[in-house]
Amino acid sequence: MGGREGVPWSSKAFGLRLPADLGHTAAALVLVGAAYYLGARLGLGLSLVERNVTPLWPPSGIALAAFLVLGRSMWPAVALAALAVNLPISAGPVPALFTALGNTLAPLVAAYVLDRVGFRRQLDRWRDALAIVFLGALGSMTISATIGSIALISSKGTGGLAGAWVVWWTGDAMGVLAVAPFLLCIPLFWELEPWTAVRWLEAAAILVLTSALALWTASTDLALLFLVLPCLGWASWRLQLRGAAPAALIASLIATWAATHELGPFAGESLLEQMLTLQAFNATVALTSFFLAALVTERVGFARALMSAASGLEERVKTRTAQLTATNDRLRREILHRHAAQQQLTLEEARSQREHDIAETLQRSLLPDRLAAIPGVAVAARYVPATADLHVGGDWYDVIQLRGGLIGLVIGDVAGHGLQAAAAMAQLRMAVRAYAVHDPAPVAVMNGLHDLVRELPMAEMVTLLYVLYDPDNGTMRFTNAGHPPALLIDDGDTRYLDGGLAPPLGVLTRSDYTEASLHLRPGATLLLYTDGLVEKRTLSIQDGLDRLLTEASGAGRSDLEALCDHLLSTLPDLDQVADDIALVALQPVVLAGRPLSLDVPAEARMLFQVRHALRRWLRESGVSAQIADELEIACGEACSNAVSHAYGTSPGDMQVEARLVDGAVELTVRDHGHWRTPTGRTGGLGLTLIHNLTDALDVDRTPSGTTIHMRRHLTAEDDQ
């Protein structure tokens, strides 16, 4: 049928939809056309204006019912039948064509509008009754009345447009109000439950009484047409649409017949008054019958649904009780199983937590808790663990002070997480230190690690970047085993170091490592990091490297601590760190043109670093090699005295300061301990040596520490 798709009263559900083949469609078109033509001939018998304006036009109801039941594709049958009816009674083919157009368009619009508002053919809702009265009949039929009356008056050349329009509108609306509901209720006799014999007798009595009352009230001069309404209410209440539609049709037909013969309440009235009275009566009959029938149908439906729900409630309660009993037994068994599983899970969680704690403790203990102070070189590092509770990874870094003042920087990543990755990281960190102490050359260290990784049962891949830096001449040598490249930040020249590349450790059978070298000038920064800093699930690794390059370039020549904090605050989301992040930065301090100030532990291992820093400062300050060597020896002796005599076995610090003042180098070595009295023949020899190597020596001993102040004039060559 031609209604909206998905409505519950589709013609297919009632066996009314015709098959989509040509033969059945043609048969339906012929049937609709014949019914339309016969209904038109019946209506024309009651014409009031010319020969084609009648107060009852059954074809409008037939067309609307056909469109609602069989679909709006039936319009060709309606159009051809309307044209066949109007040709003999019109002044020519053009008026007939326009009249047929109006007769076809009005029910088409009515069917479309009813579909749009969700109209149901059963008229079992009060809004369906309102829709067919006001939208289907009174509203849509103004189209056919307007087109038809204009065509009629234009072709005949006569007046009386208002009277023709009123009669035409009354007839078309009458067809929809009386005929369409009657046709729509016919399928209900086999779709709904059949009537009993008593109900059939009651229906016959209602129709007979309605006919008798309608004939009497329509024939008498008294205005008693309203006496029909109680009968219509009885039909609607007892029989719903199957009784209300035939009763309304009978009442409307009798009233129309009385109007055409000017009987009863229609006698002595003008045509306009007769049509208004007739239309008011028909609309009242239709609205009362169908609205009351819809309300009763809704109430009956609700009552049946309530009775059905009540009747099924007890059975559902019994069924549900049985189900709950079975479910209770099953739950009892499941609770026992889950209790056992929970105990097992608790044991597994405890074991997993212990493993996590061990891995975290191992990792934390192996990472440097604080970086050693290296004179003349600034170093900063950061480590950010993954946010997942059990994601203890294998990211690590180290800063190694080697013989000859060399500095080793290491950063590595053991793929994976957990205790195995942390244990592998611990082995590698110790191995790097051992190989670097034996031979600090990058290739030698990497070859040793390659052999170690191949021998150890490491299931995960290992990447590592090793840098050897000589602060005395600024030379940096490095090799990279599959790790993200180091970043050099040197004023406007910020770039990645792509030399010395090789596959990750242990991947290949043979090791083929090479090294690259670079001069790291004072003030430049070298940054080493793990992939957690540049990798995100939503970005490629190249995007992360580009972001790191941009952020590092914009940071300028800030100190290393600020640089590390800036990169961690802008690159990763610290609330959602999927992998560990480790980074270490190194920067040779600019010494030339400013005083030298060192604050280092008073330990023997720091003497070499202090001498290297002082030698570099003297060289960059333009001091001759001979004077620089003598000042280096003098400062070394003063620092050795602070290490040997100031603190004994207790830890302490010492400060070394150097500056150029009025053509002379002033050196100051200060401690905060209490010197022990020299014993033996060797006591005081260090101060004697210092006195011989400098032009002035001043030793200030106080309870809070000792300060040795040395001064050495520069030669004319140094001054130049």
Side-chain angles (χ1 to χ4, degrees):
M1 105 182 219
R4 294 186 304 168
E5 183 177 352
V7 294
W9 45 273
S10 64
S11 59
K12 183 176 180 181
F14 305 123
L16 296 175
R17 178 180 288 277
L18 296 177
D21 59 274
L22 183 60
H24 288 78
T25 303
L29 291 172
V30 171
L31 181 61
V32 172
Y36 190 97
Y37 186 82
L38 293 176
R41 300 311 303 173
L42 176 62
L44 289 175
L46 301 174
S47 298
L48 293 178
V49 180
E50 299 298 334
R51 292 185 302 152
N52 51 1
V53 182
T54 173
L56 174 61
W57 187 245
S60 60
I62 295 173
L64 179 58
F67 291 152
L68 292 176
V69 175
L70 300 177
R72 292 191 289 274
S73 60
M74 294 293 106
W75 70 268
V78 173
L80 292 176
L83 184 61
V85 170
N86 284 286
L87 276 175
I89 61 176
S90 299
V94 175
L97 184 61
F98 274 97
T99 304
L101 174 63
N103 291 339
T104 305
L105 185 59
L108 268 176
V109 171
Y112 174 78
V113 172
L114 290 177
D115 280 348
R116 294 295 295 176
V117 299
F119 176 76
R120 290 169 55 93
R121 173 177 60 81
Q122 294 91 335
L123 282 144
D124 53 359
R125 301 175 302 178
W126 61 268
R127 66 176 185 176
D128 297 328
L130 295 178
I132 196 170
V133 172
F134 291 102
L135 298 179
L138 302 181
S140 300
M141 294 306 113
T142 58
I143 299 174
S144 58
T146 302
I147 296 175
S149 59
I150 292 175
L152 175 64
I153 299 304
S154 299
S155 62
K156 297 295 184 179
T158 61
L161 177 62
W165 187 91
V166 170
V167 177
W168 201 304
W169 176 63
T170 302
D172 287 358
M174 176 65 185
V176 173
L177 291 176
V179 178
F182 176 75
L183 295 176
L184 293 176
C185 82
I186 293 176
L188 300 180
F189 283 96
W190 61 81
E191 294 169 358
L192 302 178
E193 58 180 335
W195 283 349
T196 62
V198 175
R199 186 59 58 89
W200 279 107
L201 290 175
E202 184 180 3
I206 292 174
L207 295 180
V208 170
L209 182 59
T210 302
S211 301
L213 278 175
L215 286 172
W216 177 64
T217 55
S219 302
T220 182
D221 293 336
L222 301 175
L224 299 176
L225 280 175
F226 65 87
L227 293 178
V228 180
L229 296 179
C231 293
L232 298 176
W234 181 15
S236 301
W237 175 50
R238 294 290 296 166
L239 307 176
Q240 288 82 58
L241 185 61
R242 286 184 287 180
L249 177 61
I250 292 174
S252 297
L253 287 174
I254 294 175
T256 304
W257 170 80
T260 57
H261 292 80
E262 298 185 359
L263 299 176
F266 303 99
E269 301 288 342
S270 65
L271 179 61
L272 180 59
E273 293 174 341
Q274 291 175 355
M275 293 303 101
L276 291 177
T277 302
L278 178 62
Q279 191 68 320
F281 175 75
N282 291 336
T284 303
V285 167
L287 185 60
T288 301
S289 302
F290 306 145
F291 188 79
L292 182 57
L295 288 178
V296 173
T297 302
E298 283 186 325
R299 182 173 180 180
V300 170
F302 292 152
R304 289 178 178 175
L306 183 60
M307 291 178 62
S308 177
S311 62
L313 181 59
E314 183 178 357
E315 185 63 28
R316 289 198 299 273
V317 169
K318 292 181 180 179
T319 303
R320 188 59 177 166
T321 301
Q323 291 176 348
L324 289 176
T325 302
T327 303
N328 188 44
D329 295 338
R330 186 174 64 255
L331 286 176
R332 188 180 296 108
R333 293 191 299 269
E334 289 182 359
I335 289 173
L336 295 177
H337 292 315
R338 289 188 180 185
H339 181 68
Q342 183 65 36
Q343 290 181 331
Q344 182 65 28
L345 181 61
T346 302
L347 295 176
E348 291 294 330
E349 288 180 349
R351 184 189 63 79
S352 178
Q353 185 62 41
R354 285 197 303 272
E355 180 178 330
H356 169 265
D357 293 340
I358 293 172
E360 184 177 20
T361 302
L362 178 61
Q363 185 183 45
R364 295 289 185 182
S365 63
L366 292 176
L367 290 175
D369 54 351
R370 73 181 186 94
L371 298 177
I374 303 175
V377 178
V379 182
R382 294 290 187 275
Y383 175 78
V384 180
T387 54
D389 291 340
L390 299 180
H391 280 192
V392 176
D395 293 24
W396 59 284
Y397 66 89
D398 203 356
V399 180
I400 311 171
Q401 293 178 270
L402 301 169
R403 64 178 181 272
L406 300 177
I407 301 171
L409 293 180
V410 189
I411 194 162
D413 186 2
V414 179
H417 297 87
L419 185 58
Q420 184 177 2
M425 178 268 286
Q427 292 174 308
L428 288 173
R429 183 174 183 271
M430 294 298 102
V432 170
R433 282 183 168 266
Y435 291 134
V437 169
H438 176 72
D439 186 353
V443 173
V445 172
M446 203 65 74
N447 284 330
L449 292 174
H450 174 81
D451 295 338
L452 176 66
V453 170
R454 287 192 53 81
E455 294 297 329
L456 292 176
M458 292 188 181
E460 305 293 349
M461 184 177 66
V462 179
T463 65
L464 188 137
L465 175 59
Y466 175 78
V467 178
L468 181 65
Y469 174 64
D470 186 353
D472 191 31
N473 54 28
T475 302
M476 183 183 72
R477 299 156 58 194
F478 62 94
T479 183
N480 188 341
H483 200 79
L487 182 64
L488 176 65
I489 308 171
D490 190 0
D491 287 340
D493 183 19
T494 301
R495 56 190 173 91
Y496 289 105
L497 304 181
D498 54 3
L501 298 177
L505 294 174
V507 173
L508 301 179
T509 304
R510 296 180 54 190
S511 60
D512 188 16
Y513 295 101
T514 60
E515 69 176 43
S517 62
L518 182 74
H519 178 74
L520 188 64
R521 71 176 188 84
T525 300
L526 180 68
L527 179 69
L528 281 62
Y529 55 92
T530 57
D531 54 6
L533 184 66
V534 294
E535 274 191 346
K536 290 183 67 175
R537 294 179 181 177
T538 56
L539 296 176
S540 65
I541 183 66
Q542 186 59 50
D543 292 336
L545 292 172
D546 293 341
R547 291 180 62 205
L548 173 59
L549 186 67
T550 301
E551 295 296 335
S553 300
R557 294 185 61 178
S558 58
D559 65 273
L560 297 188
E561 300 293 339
L563 174 64
C564 293
D565 292 338
H566 173 71
L567 295 179
L568 288 178
S569 64
T570 55
L571 291 177
D573 183 2
L574 296 183
D575 294 332
Q576 297 292 332
V577 179
D579 195 5
D580 297 349
I581 299 174
L583 59 96
V584 58
L586 179 142
Q587 183 184 78
V589 178
V590 178
L591 301 179
R594 65 181 66 179
L596 175 66
S597 179
L598 304 177
D599 190 349
V600 297
E603 299 175 2
R605 63 183 181 87
M606 298 304 303
L607 297 178
F608 194 84
Q609 301 288 349
V610 171
R611 288 197 298 269
H612 268 273
L614 179 61
R615 182 188 308 136
R616 178 182 154 203
W617 181 82
L618 292 171
R619 182 175 65 248
E620 294 180 5
S621 299
V623 178
S624 64
Q626 178 181 355
I627 295 179
D629 290 341
E630 293 175 355
L631 288 175
E632 181 183 343
I633 295 173
C635 182
E637 285 296 325
C639 292
S640 297
N641 286 335
V643 171
S644 302
H645 304 294
Y647 299 103
T649 58
S650 302
D653 296 330
M654 61 180 176
Q655 289 84 39
V656 179
E657 297 178 356
R659 66 184 66 198
L660 294 175
V661 180
D662 297 333
V665 176
E666 292 185 356
L667 293 176
T668 302
V669 178
R670 183 181 297 106
D671 63 68
H672 303 285
H674 181 69
W675 278 38
R676 293 169 294 173
T677 303
T679 58
R681 296 181 179 180
T682 60
L685 293 180
L687 294 178
T688 302
L689 179 60
I690 296 173
H691 179 76
N692 293 331
L693 295 176
T694 59
D695 296 325
L697 172 64
D698 181 31
V699 180
D700 183 16
R701 292 188 176 92
T702 66
S704 60
T706 300
T707 300
I708 300 178
H709 184 75
M710 299 162 279
R711 182 180 179 88
R712 173 70 181 267
H713 292 285
L714 301 178
T715 63
E717 179 182 355
D718 293 324
D719 292 338
Q720 293 176 358

